[in-house]
Amino acid sequence: MTNTSSATSSAAAAVSPPAVTVGPFFHPSHCTHVQGTTHCTCDPGYTISGRDGTSCKDIDECEFFHMGQAGRLCLHACVNSPGGYRCTCPAGYNLTRDGRNCKDIDECATRLNNCTRDQMYLNNYGGRCERNPCSVDNKVCSQAPNSISHHYLSVVSNLSAPRTMFRVSPLRLMGNTLRFSLLGRGQARRHFTVQRSDRQTGQLVLGSPVQGPATLEAEVEMTELEKGVQLGRYITKITMFISQYEF
Ligand SMILES: [Ca+2]
């Protein structure tokens, strides 16, 4: 390979002769001097750089061969490297044997996932507000819920149903009777029911599979009574985020 000059290196040479650039993307060229003629070569993947031919510069295959005769160099992404290049694939895909294409990883077949089919619980976080004690003559206050708690669930699309999504029970039982009911509008009633699972526990049940993406909200009211007199009302608001995917 012989020395070639470029506009860039010529401009730099006008100030001072370029030093031999070294680094992962550069190496000094291998030159032989035979009968007054200098012949310089570079390692594979490099090309002569600089007007004096002392440096070899990495070839950026990703840029040079982006669209070759055989199609794209890489199906997904190309990463240039010193003396070569490599193709990469998005998460969930493997590079094929030719090093250029991507193939979906079947996690079920390769057992990369350790979830059972019925596992769906991704995240749960909550908040809780409690009202201050009411003065004896304040009826509006005493009718208001003692507490409102918020819970958020993330679930996959088309979850098998019926299925219990949430359980509600008192922190400490004061009265002799608990009542559980579903509050709210049509949307909640279409998808959920509230059932009692034992004396102190009510459960929110999803009636049928729901196709995501969707957000469902339900409010479960728990009323505590002592000999027919209401001691307190507790509201649990549950927001269910349903993913667009079944995985
Ligand atoms: Ca390269």
Side-chain angles (χ1 to χ4, degrees), residues 58-61 80-81 83-84:
D58 168 62
I59 296 166
D60 187 343
E61 293 85 354
N80 184 40
S81 62

PDB file of all heavy atoms in Angstrom, residues 58-61 80-81 83-84, ligand 1:
ATOM      1  N   ASP A  58      -7.531   2.671  11.642  1.00  0.00           N
ATOM      2  CA  ASP A  58      -8.588   1.659  11.570  1.00  0.00           C
ATOM      3  C   ASP A  58      -9.606   2.031  10.500  1.00  0.00           C
ATOM      4  O   ASP A  58      -9.961   3.197  10.347  1.00  0.00           O
ATOM      5  CB  ASP A  58      -9.285   1.558  12.927  1.00  0.00           C
ATOM      6  CG  ASP A  58     -10.555   0.744  12.842  1.00  0.00           C
ATOM      7  OD1 ASP A  58     -10.457  -0.450  12.500  1.00  0.00           O
ATOM      8  OD2 ASP A  58     -11.647   1.302  13.083  1.00  0.00           O
ATOM      9  N   ILE A  59     -10.071   1.027   9.776  1.00  0.00           N
ATOM     10  CA  ILE A  59     -11.158   1.239   8.814  1.00  0.00           C
ATOM     11  C   ILE A  59     -12.480   1.129   9.584  1.00  0.00           C
ATOM     12  O   ILE A  59     -12.691   0.152  10.308  1.00  0.00           O
ATOM     13  CB  ILE A  59     -11.124   0.165   7.696  1.00  0.00           C
ATOM     14  CG1 ILE A  59      -9.830   0.292   6.889  1.00  0.00           C
ATOM     15  CG2 ILE A  59     -12.346   0.262   6.796  1.00  0.00           C
ATOM     16  CD1 ILE A  59      -9.545  -0.919   6.002  1.00  0.00           C
ATOM     17  N   ASP A  60     -13.334   2.153   9.433  1.00  0.00           N
ATOM     18  CA  ASP A  60     -14.646   2.077  10.075  1.00  0.00           C
ATOM     19  C   ASP A  60     -15.587   1.302   9.152  1.00  0.00           C
ATOM     20  O   ASP A  60     -16.231   1.860   8.271  1.00  0.00           O
ATOM     21  CB  ASP A  60     -15.191   3.488  10.351  1.00  0.00           C
ATOM     22  CG  ASP A  60     -16.463   3.454  11.170  1.00  0.00           C
ATOM     23  OD1 ASP A  60     -17.092   2.392  11.259  1.00  0.00           O
ATOM     24  OD2 ASP A  60     -16.830   4.519  11.720  1.00  0.00           O
ATOM     25  N   GLU A  61     -15.607  -0.013   9.339  1.00  0.00           N
ATOM     26  CA  GLU A  61     -16.414  -0.872   8.466  1.00  0.00           C
ATOM     27  C   GLU A  61     -17.892  -0.498   8.537  1.00  0.00           C
ATOM     28  O   GLU A  61     -18.629  -0.621   7.554  1.00  0.00           O
ATOM     29  CB  GLU A  61     -16.250  -2.347   8.860  1.00  0.00           C
ATOM     30  CG  GLU A  61     -14.863  -2.918   8.609  1.00  0.00           C
ATOM     31  CD  GLU A  61     -13.882  -2.646   9.734  1.00  0.00           C
ATOM     32  OE1 GLU A  61     -14.235  -1.909  10.670  1.00  0.00           O
ATOM     33  OE2 GLU A  61     -12.761  -3.184   9.677  1.00  0.00           O
ATOM     34  N   ASN A  80     -17.967  -0.344  15.547  1.00  0.00           N
ATOM     35  CA  ASN A  80     -16.607  -0.364  15.000  1.00  0.00           C
ATOM     36  C   ASN A  80     -15.613  -0.685  16.117  1.00  0.00           C
ATOM     37  O   ASN A  80     -15.804  -0.327  17.273  1.00  0.00           O
ATOM     38  CB  ASN A  80     -16.295   0.995  14.378  1.00  0.00           C
ATOM     39  CG  ASN A  80     -14.944   0.992  13.706  1.00  0.00           C
ATOM     40  OD1 ASN A  80     -14.576   0.007  13.066  1.00  0.00           O
ATOM     41  ND2 ASN A  80     -14.194   2.064  13.867  1.00  0.00           N
ATOM     42  N   SER A  81     -14.562  -1.403  15.786  1.00  0.00           N
ATOM     43  CA  SER A  81     -13.532  -1.717  16.785  1.00  0.00           C
ATOM     44  C   SER A  81     -12.180  -1.661  16.098  1.00  0.00           C
ATOM     45  O   SER A  81     -12.096  -1.708  14.872  1.00  0.00           O
ATOM     46  CB  SER A  81     -13.785  -3.101  17.381  1.00  0.00           C
ATOM     47  OG  SER A  81     -13.711  -4.080  16.369  1.00  0.00           O
ATOM     48  N   GLY A  83      -9.279  -2.504  14.121  1.00  0.00           N
ATOM     49  CA  GLY A  83      -8.960  -3.607  13.219  1.00  0.00           C
ATOM     50  C   GLY A  83     -10.136  -4.461  12.823  1.00  0.00           C
ATOM     51  O   GLY A  83      -9.974  -5.450  12.107  1.00  0.00           O
ATOM     52  N   GLY A  84     -11.323  -4.118  13.256  1.00  0.00           N
ATOM     53  CA  GLY A  84     -12.498  -4.934  12.918  1.00  0.00           C
ATOM     54  C   GLY A  84     -13.796  -4.239  13.243  1.00  0.00           C
ATOM     55  O   GLY A  84     -13.854  -3.016  13.338  1.00  0.00           O
TER      56      GLY A  84
HETATM   57 CA    CA B   1     -12.741  -1.115  12.368  1.00  0.00          CA
END
